[in-house]
Amino acid sequence: GKNGVPVAENFRLEQSTIPDTIQVGQVRVRTLYLSVDPYMRCRMNEDTGSDYLLPWQLSEVADGGGIGVVEESKQDNLAKGDFVTSFNWPWQTVAILDGSLLQKLDPQLVNGRLSYFLGAAGITGLTALLGIKEKGHVAAGANQTMVVSGAAGACGSLAGQQIGRLEGCSRVVGIAGTDEKCSILVQEMGFDAAINYKKGDVAKQLGELCPGGVDVYFDNVGGDISDTVISQMNQNSHIILCGQISQYNKDVPYPPPLPPDIEKIRKERNITRERFLVLNYMDKQGASVLQLCQWIQEGKLKVCLVLTDFMISLAAAFQSMMTGGNIGKQIVSVSK
């Protein structure tokens, strides 16, 4: 159904067998890591709201970002022992995949921490970096203030902690849901300030922390929080429409329309709010991944991962992610 928060009972773990032999062009892989992401909630609807996302089918294997090691290959450019990744990796411990759809990984780029390729050095990091570059219109020396909602999440924590500043923002303020998260954002991730939206007057706190208004808003959540931020944005400012997680459990179009009074503000102040899809910028993937890996190696990007064992349950990890229970990227460790 379209309305409601996913629970563990929406999933089940099954044992099955796969063929003993593989065909030309195929590879047998052993899964190492699986990524659990907010967009997957949309795939639990018959209409995902996005033409690039197919819905998960009832009683079929779910899929998403994954990393594994090749155990057998009949694909020319892949050999046993190679590490590979895909955006459509099945939630299986072992799988037979089309080798032409897999991307080979170089562990040295992330100092051997392969799981980073599902986070800071993967689609998550690319979304933060390219979102700011392509939709943030950040200019070095322009003294811009950036606000990040969902700032303790996988994408928000990367966008705010350093990418925004490395690209030129002079002040970065995060919005999260607990005092602990806000403390980590400021003390460990380099945010200038953070707001616990569950405490106090968010609009008042935002006005105090951003006295010159907001120039760039990295929007991960939508809803009331975003309405509050937009009301304090400057003329000719920019919204990076990354996600709307507060709306994913509701039957609304994506991106959900703004309330009339907020839309009026947006138009009067010429605030851009364009849908951002990182897959439209894959021609910049190679250079961007290298940049992210360099920042990681230099210690300029702090990587925050929550690793969950596969047998503890992918479903539990999914539920925790959708209710904002973790800080950083949610990744399931399948085997070692």
Side-chain angles (χ1 to χ4, degrees):
K2 289 189 175 183
N3 293 295
V5 178
V7 295
E9 287 72 28
N10 294 132
F11 301 84
R12 68 172 179 264
L13 186 64
E14 294 183 344
Q15 288 189 335
S16 60
T17 58
I18 60 174
D20 294 329
T21 59
I22 61 175
Q23 306 300 314
V24 174
Q26 292 182 329
V27 296
R28 184 195 307 273
V29 294
R30 176 168 51 88
T31 305
L32 299 177
Y33 300 102
L34 295 170
S35 180
V36 184
D37 302 280
Y39 80 87
M40 291 175 169
R41 173 61 183 86
C42 302
R43 301 192 67 186
M44 298 179 75
N45 296 336
E46 212 171 322
D47 177 6
T48 65
S50 301
D51 53 10
Y52 69 95
L53 283 180
L54 296 176
W56 284 335
Q57 299 300 311
L58 292 175
S59 298
E60 296 293 330
V61 179
D63 67 305
I67 291 174
V69 59
V70 176
E71 294 190 325
E72 182 183 0
S73 174
K74 289 189 177 180
Q75 171 71 15
D76 290 342
N77 64 330
L78 295 175
K80 183 178 180 179
D82 285 345
F83 296 105
V84 291
T85 186
S86 169
F87 189 65
N88 299 109
W89 196 286
W91 287 8
Q92 299 177 194
T93 55
V94 179
I96 294 176
L97 304 176
D98 182 344
S100 66
L101 301 179
L102 299 176
Q103 180 182 354
K104 189 174 177 180
L105 299 174
D106 180 0
Q108 293 185 348
L109 290 176
V110 288
N111 299 323
R113 297 178 178 179
L114 283 168
S115 59
Y116 284 14
F117 283 118
L118 291 180
I123 287 290
T124 306
L126 287 171
T127 300
L129 176 58
L130 292 174
I132 290 172
K133 279 181 171 289
E134 300 297 329
K135 299 296 184 181
H137 301 276
V138 175
N143 197 32
Q144 292 165 295
T145 293
M146 182 169 78
V147 171
V148 182
S149 59
C155 203
S157 62
L158 293 171
Q161 63 163 305
Q162 282 293 350
I163 291 177
R165 199 178 304 283
L166 290 166
E167 287 300 308
C169 286
S170 60
R171 184 166 180 77
V172 181
V173 176
I175 302 176
T178 68
D179 288 341
E180 178 192 12
K181 290 178 180 180
C182 289
S183 177
I184 290 173
L185 291 176
V186 174
Q187 296 181 16
E188 299 183 25
M189 296 188 176
F191 282 68
D192 293 289
I195 297 170
N196 180 351
Y197 70 87
K198 295 181 180 179
K199 283 187 175 181
D201 187 329
V202 174
K204 180 181 178 181
Q205 294 178 73
L206 198 62
E208 293 171 348
L209 294 173
C210 307
V214 178
D215 301 296
V216 182
Y217 174 38
F218 200 100
D219 185 5
N220 287 302
V221 302
D224 293 342
I225 295 298
S226 290
D227 296 345
T228 300
V229 177
I230 294 170
S231 68
Q232 299 195 31
M233 294 186 73
N234 293 324
Q235 192 75 24
N236 301 318
S237 53
H238 304 282
I239 299 170
I240 303 167
L241 194 56
C242 178
Q244 302 280 278
I245 193 170
S246 72
Q247 308 299 301
Y248 288 167
N249 294 319
K250 302 176 183 178
D251 183 8
V252 294
Y254 186 86
L258 297 172
D261 57 331
I262 301 300
E263 178 63 14
K264 182 180 179 182
I265 291 174
R266 189 195 69 77
K267 288 181 177 179
E268 289 176 345
R269 298 180 190 174
N270 193 35
I271 301 170
T272 63
R273 183 180 184 256
E274 301 169 346
R275 187 171 184 174
F276 172 71
L277 177 59
V278 70
L279 298 178
N280 290 339
Y281 301 91
M282 284 299 95
D283 59 318
K284 301 180 181 181
Q285 178 185 13
S288 298
V289 168
L290 290 177
Q291 176 66 84
L292 290 165
C293 289
Q294 180 181 338
W295 284 340
I296 292 170
Q297 291 178 343
E298 293 172 350
K300 293 180 178 179
L301 271 186
K302 182 179 177 63
V303 181
C304 189
L305 294 176
V306 179
L307 282 174
T308 304
D309 184 76
F310 182 70
M311 295 311 293
I312 290 177
S313 177
L314 263 166
F318 188 86
Q319 185 175 5
S320 177
M321 178 270 300
M322 286 305 301
T323 54
N326 298 309
I327 299 173
K329 180 73 178 180
Q330 180 84 44
I331 292 178
V332 173
S333 176
V334 180
S335 58
K336 299 202 170 61

